[in-house]
mmCIF file of all heavy atoms in Angstrom:
data_model
loop_
_atom_site.group_PDB
_atom_site.id
_atom_site.type_symbol
_atom_site.label_atom_id
_atom_site.label_comp_id
_atom_site.label_asym_id
_atom_site.label_seq_id
_atom_site.Cartn_x
_atom_site.Cartn_y
_atom_site.Cartn_z
ATOM 1 N N VAL A 233 54.071 -47.832 16.146
ATOM 2 C CA VAL A 233 52.640 -48.248 15.793
ATOM 3 C C VAL A 233 51.643 -47.505 16.596
ATOM 4 O O VAL A 233 51.694 -47.536 17.798
ATOM 5 C CB VAL A 233 52.511 -49.820 15.893
ATOM 6 C CG1 VAL A 233 51.178 -50.158 15.436
ATOM 7 C CG2 VAL A 233 53.650 -50.506 15.105
ATOM 8 N N TYR A 234 50.669 -46.901 15.895
ATOM 9 C CA TYR A 234 49.577 -46.208 16.598
ATOM 10 C C TYR A 234 48.274 -46.505 15.760
ATOM 11 O O TYR A 234 48.396 -47.082 14.644
ATOM 12 C CB TYR A 234 49.823 -44.663 16.538
ATOM 13 C CG TYR A 234 50.986 -44.233 17.298
ATOM 14 C CD1 TYR A 234 52.256 -44.052 16.568
ATOM 15 C CD2 TYR A 234 50.971 -43.900 18.588
ATOM 16 C CE1 TYR A 234 53.354 -43.604 17.216
ATOM 17 C CE2 TYR A 234 52.087 -43.494 19.278
ATOM 18 C CZ TYR A 234 53.283 -43.291 18.611
ATOM 19 O OH TYR A 234 54.422 -42.885 19.253
ATOM 20 N N ASP A 235 47.175 -46.142 16.289
ATOM 21 C CA ASP A 235 45.963 -46.066 15.558
ATOM 22 C C ASP A 235 45.822 -44.636 14.927
ATOM 23 O O ASP A 235 46.012 -43.637 15.632
ATOM 24 C CB ASP A 235 44.717 -46.340 16.434
ATOM 25 C CG ASP A 235 44.708 -47.840 16.761
ATOM 26 O OD1 ASP A 235 45.173 -48.704 16.037
ATOM 27 O OD2 ASP A 235 44.046 -48.095 17.837
ATOM 28 N N TRP A 236 45.517 -44.659 13.600
ATOM 29 C CA TRP A 236 45.415 -43.377 12.913
ATOM 30 C C TRP A 236 44.062 -43.164 12.248
ATOM 31 O O TRP A 236 43.420 -44.149 11.737
ATOM 32 C CB TRP A 236 46.524 -43.334 11.858
ATOM 33 C CG TRP A 236 47.971 -43.401 12.302
ATOM 34 C CD1 TRP A 236 48.608 -44.585 12.571
ATOM 35 C CD2 TRP A 236 48.848 -42.339 12.542
ATOM 36 N NE1 TRP A 236 49.923 -44.316 12.972
ATOM 37 C CE2 TRP A 236 50.039 -42.931 12.934
ATOM 38 C CE3 TRP A 236 48.816 -40.978 12.408
ATOM 39 C CZ2 TRP A 236 51.151 -42.151 13.242
ATOM 40 C CZ3 TRP A 236 49.837 -40.213 12.767
ATOM 41 C CH2 TRP A 236 51.054 -40.838 13.178
ATOM 42 N N ALA A 237 43.632 -41.928 12.181
ATOM 43 C CA ALA A 237 42.471 -41.549 11.430
ATOM 44 C C ALA A 237 42.481 -40.175 10.925
ATOM 45 O O ALA A 237 43.294 -39.402 11.419
ATOM 46 C CB ALA A 237 41.140 -41.798 12.417
ATOM 47 N N ARG A 238 41.725 -39.877 9.924
ATOM 48 C CA ARG A 238 41.674 -38.459 9.438
ATOM 49 C C ARG A 238 40.298 -38.092 9.117
ATOM 50 O O ARG A 238 39.394 -38.866 8.918
ATOM 51 C CB ARG A 238 42.644 -38.385 8.162
ATOM 52 C CG ARG A 238 42.088 -39.188 7.019
ATOM 53 C CD ARG A 238 43.010 -38.913 5.821
ATOM 54 N NE ARG A 238 42.646 -39.788 4.680
ATOM 55 C CZ ARG A 238 43.200 -39.590 3.499
ATOM 56 N NH1 ARG A 238 44.086 -38.661 3.184
ATOM 57 N NH2 ARG A 238 42.794 -40.355 2.466
ATOM 58 N N ALA A 239 40.114 -36.795 9.182
ATOM 59 C CA ALA A 239 38.789 -36.125 8.811
ATOM 60 C C ALA A 239 38.989 -34.967 7.913
ATOM 61 O O ALA A 239 39.906 -34.170 8.154
ATOM 62 C CB ALA A 239 38.116 -35.730 10.136
ATOM 63 N N PRO A 240 38.201 -34.830 6.862
ATOM 64 C CA PRO A 240 38.432 -33.737 5.985
ATOM 65 C C PRO A 240 37.875 -32.426 6.586
ATOM 66 O O PRO A 240 37.001 -32.373 7.339
ATOM 67 C CB PRO A 240 37.469 -34.105 4.742
ATOM 68 C CG PRO A 240 36.433 -35.009 5.420
ATOM 69 C CD PRO A 240 37.178 -35.781 6.452
ATOM 70 N N ILE A 241 38.570 -31.279 6.209
ATOM 71 C CA ILE A 241 38.216 -29.989 6.685
ATOM 72 C C ILE A 241 38.245 -28.985 5.423
ATOM 73 O O ILE A 241 38.599 -29.465 4.409
ATOM 74 C CB ILE A 241 39.136 -29.475 7.767
ATOM 75 C CG1 ILE A 241 40.592 -29.473 7.409
ATOM 76 C CG2 ILE A 241 38.863 -30.341 9.054
ATOM 77 C CD1 ILE A 241 41.516 -28.915 8.391
ATOM 78 N N ARG A 242 37.876 -27.754 5.682
ATOM 79 C CA ARG A 242 37.928 -26.800 4.689
ATOM 80 C C ARG A 242 37.182 -27.263 3.446
ATOM 81 O O ARG A 242 37.775 -27.485 2.336
ATOM 82 C CB ARG A 242 39.357 -26.397 4.263
ATOM 83 C CG ARG A 242 40.163 -25.977 5.524
ATOM 84 C CD ARG A 242 40.190 -24.502 5.675
ATOM 85 N NE ARG A 242 40.871 -23.830 4.554
ATOM 86 C CZ ARG A 242 42.149 -23.698 4.527
ATOM 87 N NH1 ARG A 242 43.013 -24.060 5.474
ATOM 88 N NH2 ARG A 242 42.799 -23.055 3.443
ATOM 89 N N PRO A 243 35.877 -27.533 3.469
ATOM 90 C CA PRO A 243 35.127 -28.117 2.378
ATOM 91 C C PRO A 243 35.149 -27.197 1.111
ATOM 92 O O PRO A 243 35.013 -27.698 -0.011
ATOM 93 C CB PRO A 243 33.697 -28.239 2.877
ATOM 94 C CG PRO A 243 33.607 -27.206 3.998
ATOM 95 C CD PRO A 243 34.955 -27.221 4.609
ATOM 96 N N TRP A 244 35.330 -25.950 1.250
ATOM 97 C CA TRP A 244 35.446 -25.035 0.107
ATOM 98 C C TRP A 244 36.826 -24.796 -0.290
ATOM 99 O O TRP A 244 37.280 -23.733 -0.361
ATOM 100 C CB TRP A 244 34.721 -23.753 0.436
ATOM 101 C CG TRP A 244 33.334 -23.921 0.902
ATOM 102 C CD1 TRP A 244 32.211 -24.208 0.174
ATOM 103 C CD2 TRP A 244 32.867 -23.937 2.299
ATOM 104 N NE1 TRP A 244 31.158 -24.448 1.097
ATOM 105 C CE2 TRP A 244 31.535 -24.210 2.268
ATOM 106 C CE3 TRP A 244 33.529 -23.763 3.515
ATOM 107 C CZ2 TRP A 244 30.725 -24.259 3.466
ATOM 108 C CZ3 TRP A 244 32.880 -23.808 4.663
ATOM 109 C CH2 TRP A 244 31.413 -24.109 4.663
ATOM 110 N N ARG A 245 37.506 -25.856 -0.655
ATOM 111 C CA ARG A 245 38.961 -25.818 -0.953
ATOM 112 C C ARG A 245 39.151 -25.494 -2.424
ATOM 113 O O ARG A 245 38.401 -25.657 -3.207
ATOM 114 C CB ARG A 245 39.525 -27.157 -0.629
ATOM 115 C CG ARG A 245 38.948 -28.440 -1.319
ATOM 116 C CD ARG A 245 39.641 -29.687 -0.890
ATOM 117 N NE ARG A 245 38.986 -30.844 -1.395
ATOM 118 C CZ ARG A 245 39.183 -31.298 -2.595
ATOM 119 N NH1 ARG A 245 40.029 -30.737 -3.408
ATOM 120 N NH2 ARG A 245 38.576 -32.420 -3.031
ATOM 121 N N GLU A 246 40.458 -25.080 -2.666
ATOM 122 C CA GLU A 246 40.785 -24.894 -4.063
ATOM 123 C C GLU A 246 41.096 -26.198 -4.761
ATOM 124 O O GLU A 246 41.391 -27.209 -4.158
ATOM 125 C CB GLU A 246 42.064 -23.955 -4.129
ATOM 126 C CG GLU A 246 43.218 -24.431 -3.316
ATOM 127 C CD GLU A 246 43.357 -24.025 -1.921
ATOM 128 O OE1 GLU A 246 42.283 -23.923 -1.257
ATOM 129 O OE2 GLU A 246 44.458 -23.761 -1.420
ATOM 130 N N GLU A 247 41.080 -26.121 -6.086
ATOM 131 C CA GLU A 247 41.290 -27.339 -6.884
ATOM 132 C C GLU A 247 42.626 -27.881 -6.718
ATOM 133 O O GLU A 247 43.614 -27.061 -6.769
ATOM 134 C CB GLU A 247 41.020 -27.018 -8.327
ATOM 135 C CG GLU A 247 41.040 -28.158 -9.354
ATOM 136 C CD GLU A 247 40.710 -27.827 -10.670
ATOM 137 O OE1 GLU A 247 40.317 -26.702 -10.987
ATOM 138 O OE2 GLU A 247 40.907 -28.671 -11.589
ATOM 139 N N GLY A 248 42.712 -29.285 -6.581
ATOM 140 C CA GLY A 248 44.081 -29.891 -6.644
ATOM 141 C C GLY A 248 44.672 -30.117 -5.257
ATOM 142 O O GLY A 248 45.771 -30.766 -5.142
ATOM 143 N N VAL A 249 44.079 -29.542 -4.197
ATOM 144 C CA VAL A 249 44.565 -29.739 -2.817
ATOM 145 C C VAL A 249 43.525 -30.129 -1.917
ATOM 146 O O VAL A 249 42.338 -30.001 -2.190
ATOM 147 C CB VAL A 249 45.301 -28.488 -2.331
ATOM 148 C CG1 VAL A 249 46.383 -27.968 -3.179
ATOM 149 C CG2 VAL A 249 44.267 -27.340 -2.138
ATOM 150 N N GLU A 250 43.943 -30.773 -0.834
ATOM 151 C CA GLU A 250 43.026 -31.225 0.256
ATOM 152 C C GLU A 250 43.499 -30.777 1.630
ATOM 153 O O GLU A 250 44.693 -30.519 1.780
ATOM 154 C CB GLU A 250 42.933 -32.753 0.179
ATOM 155 C CG GLU A 250 42.293 -33.366 -1.082
ATOM 156 C CD GLU A 250 42.339 -34.860 -1.046
ATOM 157 O OE1 GLU A 250 43.168 -35.469 -0.386
ATOM 158 O OE2 GLU A 250 41.588 -35.383 -1.726
ATOM 159 N N HIS A 251 42.542 -30.675 2.526
ATOM 160 C CA HIS A 251 42.860 -30.243 3.952
ATOM 161 C C HIS A 251 42.342 -31.320 4.871
ATOM 162 O O HIS A 251 41.212 -31.785 4.708
ATOM 163 C CB HIS A 251 42.273 -28.906 4.286
ATOM 164 C CG HIS A 251 42.783 -27.741 3.428
ATOM 165 N ND1 HIS A 251 43.828 -26.997 3.752
ATOM 166 C CD2 HIS A 251 42.308 -27.346 2.144
ATOM 167 C CE1 HIS A 251 44.004 -26.127 2.780
ATOM 168 N NE2 HIS A 251 43.097 -26.306 1.888
ATOM 169 N N TRP A 252 43.108 -31.734 5.865
ATOM 170 C CA TRP A 252 42.726 -32.846 6.741
ATOM 171 C C TRP A 252 43.126 -32.466 8.122
ATOM 172 O O TRP A 252 44.114 -31.808 8.411
ATOM 173 C CB TRP A 252 43.434 -34.094 6.363
ATOM 174 C CG TRP A 252 43.111 -34.688 4.918
ATOM 175 C CD1 TRP A 252 43.825 -34.470 3.880
ATOM 176 C CD2 TRP A 252 42.087 -35.566 4.624
ATOM 177 N NE1 TRP A 252 43.282 -35.133 2.749
ATOM 178 C CE2 TRP A 252 42.194 -35.773 3.267
ATOM 179 C CE3 TRP A 252 40.988 -36.210 5.304
ATOM 180 C CZ2 TRP A 252 41.308 -36.617 2.572
ATOM 181 C CZ3 TRP A 252 40.152 -36.975 4.632
ATOM 182 C CH2 TRP A 252 40.356 -37.259 3.243
ATOM 183 N N VAL A 253 42.382 -33.123 9.099
ATOM 184 C CA VAL A 253 42.940 -33.268 10.449
ATOM 185 C C VAL A 253 43.337 -34.720 10.623
ATOM 186 O O VAL A 253 42.486 -35.611 10.299
ATOM 187 C CB VAL A 253 41.816 -32.925 11.495
ATOM 188 C CG1 VAL A 253 42.223 -33.445 12.899
ATOM 189 C CG2 VAL A 253 41.684 -31.459 11.566
ATOM 190 N N LEU A 254 44.513 -34.942 11.009
ATOM 191 C CA LEU A 254 45.029 -36.286 11.237
ATOM 192 C C LEU A 254 45.182 -36.577 12.650
ATOM 193 O O LEU A 254 45.675 -35.749 13.432
ATOM 194 C CB LEU A 254 46.493 -36.377 10.485
ATOM 195 C CG LEU A 254 47.235 -37.704 10.665
ATOM 196 C CD1 LEU A 254 46.522 -38.850 9.904
ATOM 197 C CD2 LEU A 254 48.579 -37.528 10.184
ATOM 198 N N ALA A 255 44.794 -37.704 13.126
ATOM 199 C CA ALA A 255 44.783 -38.008 14.551
ATOM 200 C C ALA A 255 45.595 -39.281 14.771
ATOM 201 O O ALA A 255 45.532 -40.250 14.055
ATOM 202 C CB ALA A 255 43.351 -38.222 15.119
ATOM 203 N N ARG A 256 46.373 -39.288 15.906
ATOM 204 C CA ARG A 256 47.265 -40.405 16.220
ATOM 205 C C ARG A 256 46.922 -40.803 17.668
ATOM 206 O O ARG A 256 46.997 -40.063 18.606
ATOM 207 C CB ARG A 256 48.741 -40.105 16.241
ATOM 208 C CG ARG A 256 49.742 -41.182 16.381
ATOM 209 C CD ARG A 256 51.026 -40.664 16.667
ATOM 210 N NE ARG A 256 51.209 -40.134 17.976
ATOM 211 C CZ ARG A 256 51.949 -39.102 18.299
ATOM 212 N NH1 ARG A 256 52.605 -38.336 17.418
ATOM 213 N NH2 ARG A 256 52.032 -38.607 19.550
ATOM 214 N N ARG A 257 46.428 -42.077 17.825
ATOM 215 C CA ARG A 257 45.871 -42.613 19.072
ATOM 216 C C ARG A 257 46.868 -43.696 19.660
ATOM 217 O O ARG A 257 47.271 -44.573 18.980
ATOM 218 C CB ARG A 257 44.535 -43.064 18.977
ATOM 219 C CG ARG A 257 43.808 -43.504 20.262
ATOM 220 C CD ARG A 257 42.343 -43.842 20.039
ATOM 221 N NE ARG A 257 42.252 -45.068 19.254
ATOM 222 C CZ ARG A 257 41.095 -45.486 18.690
ATOM 223 N NH1 ARG A 257 39.956 -44.795 18.914
ATOM 224 N NH2 ARG A 257 41.048 -46.632 18.040
ATOM 225 N N SER A 258 47.164 -43.546 20.886
ATOM 226 C CA SER A 258 48.074 -44.525 21.593
ATOM 227 C C SER A 258 47.386 -45.856 21.687
ATOM 228 O O SER A 258 46.192 -45.950 21.923
ATOM 229 C CB SER A 258 48.474 -44.021 22.930
ATOM 230 O OG SER A 258 49.061 -44.989 23.735
ATOM 231 N N LEU A 259 48.187 -46.911 21.408
ATOM 232 C CA LEU A 259 47.571 -48.293 21.620
ATOM 233 C C LEU A 259 47.354 -48.581 23.111
ATOM 234 O O LEU A 259 46.522 -49.473 23.412
ATOM 235 C CB LEU A 259 48.522 -49.370 21.021
ATOM 236 C CG LEU A 259 48.883 -49.205 19.506
ATOM 237 C CD1 LEU A 259 49.684 -50.272 19.020
ATOM 238 C CD2 LEU A 259 47.620 -48.878 18.702
ATOM 239 N N THR A 260 48.240 -48.172 23.958
ATOM 240 C CA THR A 260 48.060 -48.443 25.393
ATOM 241 C C THR A 260 47.138 -47.593 26.182
ATOM 242 O O THR A 260 46.637 -47.963 27.196
ATOM 243 C CB THR A 260 49.483 -48.358 26.068
ATOM 244 O OG1 THR A 260 50.020 -47.043 25.882
ATOM 245 C CG2 THR A 260 50.420 -49.441 25.437
ATOM 246 N N ASP A 261 46.855 -46.398 25.709
ATOM 247 C CA ASP A 261 45.947 -45.451 26.346
ATOM 248 C C ASP A 261 45.056 -44.747 25.225
ATOM 249 O O ASP A 261 45.530 -43.744 24.744
ATOM 250 C CB ASP A 261 46.713 -44.439 27.129
ATOM 251 C CG ASP A 261 45.788 -43.451 27.903
ATOM 252 O OD1 ASP A 261 44.540 -43.575 27.832
ATOM 253 O OD2 ASP A 261 46.322 -42.580 28.621
ATOM 254 N N PRO A 262 43.930 -45.284 25.009
ATOM 255 C CA PRO A 262 43.099 -44.716 23.864
ATOM 256 C C PRO A 262 42.648 -43.208 24.095
ATOM 257 O O PRO A 262 42.337 -42.554 23.202
ATOM 258 C CB PRO A 262 41.874 -45.558 23.889
ATOM 259 C CG PRO A 262 42.323 -46.903 24.486
ATOM 260 C CD PRO A 262 43.355 -46.472 25.574
ATOM 261 N N THR A 263 42.853 -42.713 25.376
ATOM 262 C CA THR A 263 42.540 -41.282 25.549
ATOM 263 C C THR A 263 43.678 -40.425 25.171
ATOM 264 O O THR A 263 43.505 -39.215 25.151
ATOM 265 C CB THR A 263 42.260 -41.057 27.057
ATOM 266 O OG1 THR A 263 43.402 -41.287 27.814
ATOM 267 C CG2 THR A 263 41.087 -42.014 27.506
ATOM 268 N N GLU A 264 44.831 -40.970 24.919
ATOM 269 C CA GLU A 264 45.979 -40.246 24.536
ATOM 270 C C GLU A 264 46.000 -40.037 22.993
ATOM 271 O O GLU A 264 46.383 -40.898 22.287
ATOM 272 C CB GLU A 264 47.311 -40.911 24.991
ATOM 273 C CG GLU A 264 48.528 -40.104 24.714
ATOM 274 C CD GLU A 264 49.772 -40.769 25.143
ATOM 275 O OE1 GLU A 264 49.780 -41.299 26.370
ATOM 276 O OE2 GLU A 264 50.737 -40.899 24.375
ATOM 277 N N ILE A 265 45.580 -38.941 22.503
ATOM 278 C CA ILE A 265 45.406 -38.674 21.028
ATOM 279 C C ILE A 265 46.201 -37.381 20.692
ATOM 280 O O ILE A 265 46.013 -36.360 21.408
ATOM 281 C CB ILE A 265 43.929 -38.516 20.630
ATOM 282 C CG1 ILE A 265 43.186 -39.780 21.091
ATOM 283 C CG2 ILE A 265 43.842 -38.239 19.102
ATOM 284 C CD1 ILE A 265 41.608 -39.722 20.732
ATOM 285 N N ALA A 266 47.037 -37.430 19.646
ATOM 286 C CA ALA A 266 47.685 -36.267 19.132
ATOM 287 C C ALA A 266 47.071 -35.844 17.825
ATOM 288 O O ALA A 266 46.451 -36.676 17.103
ATOM 289 C CB ALA A 266 49.121 -36.570 19.069
ATOM 290 N N TYR A 267 47.188 -34.632 17.478
ATOM 291 C CA TYR A 267 46.403 -34.099 16.327
ATOM 292 C C TYR A 267 47.435 -33.368 15.341
ATOM 293 O O TYR A 267 48.366 -32.736 15.828
ATOM 294 C CB TYR A 267 45.346 -33.095 16.692
ATOM 295 C CG TYR A 267 44.366 -33.738 17.677
ATOM 296 C CD1 TYR A 267 44.589 -33.726 19.042
ATOM 297 C CD2 TYR A 267 43.249 -34.460 17.303
ATOM 298 C CE1 TYR A 267 43.734 -34.237 19.957
ATOM 299 C CE2 TYR A 267 42.381 -34.999 18.075
ATOM 300 C CZ TYR A 267 42.616 -34.920 19.556
ATOM 301 O OH TYR A 267 41.743 -35.477 20.458
ATOM 302 N N CYS A 268 47.152 -33.387 14.081
ATOM 303 C CA CYS A 268 47.864 -32.594 13.061
ATOM 304 C C CYS A 268 46.896 -31.982 12.109
ATOM 305 O O CYS A 268 45.891 -32.553 11.869
ATOM 306 C CB CYS A 268 48.838 -33.551 12.225
ATOM 307 S SG CYS A 268 50.186 -34.281 13.153
ATOM 308 N N VAL A 269 47.318 -30.794 11.545
ATOM 309 C CA VAL A 269 46.550 -30.211 10.502
ATOM 310 C C VAL A 269 47.366 -30.375 9.204
ATOM 311 O O VAL A 269 48.588 -30.127 9.208
ATOM 312 C CB VAL A 269 46.370 -28.729 10.777
ATOM 313 C CG1 VAL A 269 45.594 -28.004 9.561
ATOM 314 C CG2 VAL A 269 45.439 -28.531 12.024
ATOM 315 N N CYS A 270 46.709 -30.818 8.177
ATOM 316 C CA CYS A 270 47.513 -31.284 6.952
ATOM 317 C C CYS A 270 46.891 -30.408 5.757
ATOM 318 O O CYS A 270 45.717 -30.225 5.601
ATOM 319 C CB CYS A 270 47.236 -32.743 6.684
ATOM 320 S SG CYS A 270 47.536 -33.836 8.074
#
Side-chain angles (χ1 to χ4, degrees):
V233 179
Y234 299 92
D235 286 333
W236 299 82
R238 63 176 176 173
I241 56 174
R242 305 267 292 275
W244 304 282
R245 57 183 173 82
E246 58 270 37
E247 185 178 352
V249 300
E250 297 175 334
H251 301 267
W252 300 90
V253 165
L254 176 69
R256 186 194 76 217
R257 187 173 66 190
S258 169
L259 301 186
T260 56
D261 182 1
T263 65
E264 185 181 310
I265 303 177
Y267 305 90
C268 294
V269 175
C270 310

